[in-house]
Amino acid sequence: MSQDTQRVSLRDGTNVHPPYLYPDYESTRLRAPERPLAIRPRTLSELTGPAYGHDRVGELDHDLTRQHRGEPLGERVIVTGRVLDGDGRPVRDSLVEVWQANAAGRYTHHGDRHPAPLDPNFSGAGRCLTDGEGRYRFLTVKPEAYPWGNHPNAWRPAHIHFSLFGPSFSSRLITQMYFPGDPLFYQDPIFNSIPGREARERLISTFDLSVTEPEWALGYRFDIVLEGQSSTPMEDHK
Amino acid sequence: MTLEPTPSQTIGPFFHDALLDRDQSELVAPEHPSAVRIRGTIYNGAGEPVPDAMLEVWQANQAGRYAHPADDREELPLEESFSGFGRCGTDEEGGYRFVTVKPGPVPGPGGQPQAPHINVSVFARGLLRRLVTRIYFPDEEAANAADPVLGAIEDAGRRSSLVARSEEDGLRFDLHLQGAGETVFFDV
C-alpha cells in the first residue's frame, strides 16, 4: 500500500482527547512530555496492528459475576454497546478488556489502600470479543466511587476501564466509562481533562430499559468509536 | 458518515490483573536462534523510575511483514507462531523486558524503506493518553540515517533517543517521559 492510497483522517483529535499535561490531575505533572509530539507519516507500521486476544477469551470471561464460587455483592448491571470505526463501520471480532472496582469501591489490587471491603466473589476483570456487528456485552456489578489522594477530599466517580485494539496500531484506545447522573463529575480531574463537553459526555453510558433484564440486572449502553478505518479503502470499494 | 472518536482516559494504577495476568513479554522463546533481549527503564521528569506503567510493542517479523491484512505483500512469509505483539508491565524499579526478534525493514512513504523498528505504546497512571514511540537498532546505522520517520524529527539531536543501546546480552532502551533527555514521542 503506498501512502497515496491512504486516507487522511479529517479529525486531529485535538479537542477530543485530553492533553498530556493537566495539572489538576497531579500525576500528569512529572509524566507529561514537555516537548511537542513529533509528526510522522502514516506507514504500514501504523496502518497495521495486533489481532490480539482470540486465544485469551474464556467462556465466562464476559460475566464478572460468575468468576468465583459465590455471587458478588452489589447491583447487577449489563454493559453493552458497539465498537465502531470513524466511518461508523463495526469493528468485528476485536478484543475488549475491562476492569473495575467492586460494589464498595475497592479494587482487587495490592496497591489499593482504600479501607473498603474486598469481595471474595469479585475480581473485577473481564474480556470478550466483539461480534459481527461490533457488539460486546458484559454482566457485572456496578462499581462504586472511591477516594484517592489527588487533592483533599478527592473522589473518583464510578467507572469501568475499557481497553480496545480495533483495526490498527493507530486505533488502540484505553478509556473509562462512567454512569449517568454521577454527582462527582464536577470535581474529577480525569473526567474533566477532556476539553470538550460533548466529548466528555460521550464517556457517560446511557441507561437503557431495553437492555435491562427484568428481576435481574439494569442495562447500560456504551458505544465506542475508534480512530482509523476497519478495512482498507481498496477492500471497501463497492 | 464520520463519527467523533471516543476520548482517551488514563489506564490508572489498577490494571494488572486484567491486562497482565499472564506473561506476554516473550514474542519468541528465549531459545530462539535469533532472539533479541530488549530491556529498559521508564523515568519520570524527576528522574525517578515509573513502577506502574505498561508497554506494548507491535512489530513486523524477520522478513519485514506485519501479521495483519493491510500488509498484503504475499511474497514475504508470515510465521504462524509470531504475532508481532507483546505486553509488559514495569516493575518496582521501573524496568521492563521483551524477548523478540529484530524485524525486517518495512516500506515507508513512497515505498522508501524504513529502518527496522519496533512500535511502542506506553500507558500509565498520569498519562491521560498513551505515548507512542519507536525502538530502532544500534547496528543499523546506515538504515537509521536514511529512515524517513527518524529524519522527520526536527531536532536532529533527539533522534538518538529512539536508538537502543547495545549491552552485553541484549539491547537497552530507556524511556524518559519528561525533561532532560526526553524520549521523542509521536503524534498518535
Side-chain angles (χ1 to χ4, degrees), chain B residues 158-176:
Chain B
R158 299 186 63 217
R159 293 174 194 165
S160 64
S161 72
L162 301 191
V163 182
R165 289 199 328 256
S166 286
E167 287 188 332
E168 206 171 296
D169 58 344
L171 299 176
R172 169 162 289 275
F173 184 77
D174 292 335
L175 290 103
H176 298 267

Side-chain angles (χ1 to χ4, degrees), chain B residues 5 24-25 36 42-43 45 53 60 65 69 71-72 74 99 104 111 119-120 122 133-134 137 145 157 161 170 178 180:
Chain B
Q24 300 150 84
S25 67
V36 179
I42 306 187
Y43 297 98
R65 184 157 176 204
D71 190 345
D72 53 7
E74 286 171 11
V99 181
N119 306 287
V120 180
V122 185
T133 187
R134 285 181 169 196
F137 291 79
S161 72
Q178 185 188 87

Side-chain angles (χ1 to χ4, degrees), chain B residues 24-41:
Chain B
Q24 300 150 84
S25 67
E26 294 182 354
L27 287 76
V28 298
E31 303 77 45
H32 189 287
S34 307
V36 179
R37 286 158 209 279
I38 302 177
R39 66 166 70 93
T41 304

Side-chain angles (χ1 to χ4, degrees), chain A residues 52-58 61 97 127, chain B residues 18-19 21-22 24:
Chain A
Y52 169 64
H54 294 79
D55 58 342
R56 285 277 283 156
V57 180
D61 282 4
E97 297 163 293
R127 56 181 75 92
Chain B
L19 304 185
D21 59 319
R22 68 178 186 194
Q24 300 150 84

Side-chain angles (χ1 to χ4, degrees), chain A residues 1 3 10-11 13 16-20 22 25 27-52 55-56 84-88 97-99 107-109 111-112 123 125-127 146 156 161 163 165 167-176 178 189-191 193-194 199-200 202-203 222-227 232 235, chain B residues 1-22 24 43-46 48-54 56-58 64 66-73 83-85 87 106-111 114 117 119-121 123-134 148-149 152-153 155 158 177-180 182-188:
Chain A
M1 190 191 303
Q3 200 187 16
L10 296 174
R11 307 173 301 272
V16 170
H17 296 294
Y20 288 102
Y22 191 75
Y25 175 23
S27 295
T28 67
R29 295 182 195 175
L30 282 174
R31 295 186 170 189
E34 288 168 341
R35 305 293 198 103
L37 299 180
I39 307 295
R40 88 195 133 165
R42 293 219 165 180
T43 70
L44 266 186
S45 299
E46 291 74 37
L47 296 168
T48 58
Y52 169 64
D55 58 342
R56 285 277 283 156
L84 303 170
D85 73 9
D87 291 336
E97 297 163 293
V98 296
W99 66 102
Y107 284 89
T108 310
H109 191 283
D112 187 355
S123 301
R127 56 181 75 92
Y146 57 85
R156 290 299 330 278
H161 295 266
S163 163
F165 285 87
S168 68
F169 183 76
S170 301
S171 57
R172 181 84 176 93
L173 178 73
I174 288 183
T175 189
Q176 301 181 24
Y178 299 92
I190 294 179
F191 178 73
S193 67
I194 300 162
R200 280 198 294 280
R202 287 203 296 279
L203 292 186
F222 179 55
D223 293 334
I224 295 158
V225 179
L226 303 178
E227 315 245 7
T232 60
E235 289 166 342
Chain B
M1 176 165 58
T2 299
L3 299 176
E4 289 290 322
T6 300
S8 172
Q9 295 271 267
T10 179
I11 195 171
F14 300 135
F15 56 85
H16 299 79
D17 289 349
L19 304 185
L20 295 170
D21 59 319
R22 68 178 186 194
Q24 300 150 84
Y43 297 98
N44 71 10
E48 300 156 343
V50 174
D52 53 3
M54 180 178 84
E56 287 181 352
V57 293
W58 168 239
Y66 284 104
H68 185 276
D71 190 345
D72 53 7
R73 296 170 299 149
S83 74
F85 175 75
R87 241 181 202 176
V106 298
Q114 301 186 65
H117 63 273
N119 306 287
V120 180
S121 298
F123 302 90
R125 170 178 64 84
L127 290 179
L128 287 159
R129 298 177 74 174
R130 69 173 163 154
L131 288 168
V132 169
T133 187
R134 285 181 169 196
V149 172
I153 296 167
D155 183 347
R158 299 186 63 217
L177 302 183
Q178 185 188 87
E182 186 175 302
T183 303
V184 171
F185 297 105
F186 293 103
D187 194 18
V188 177

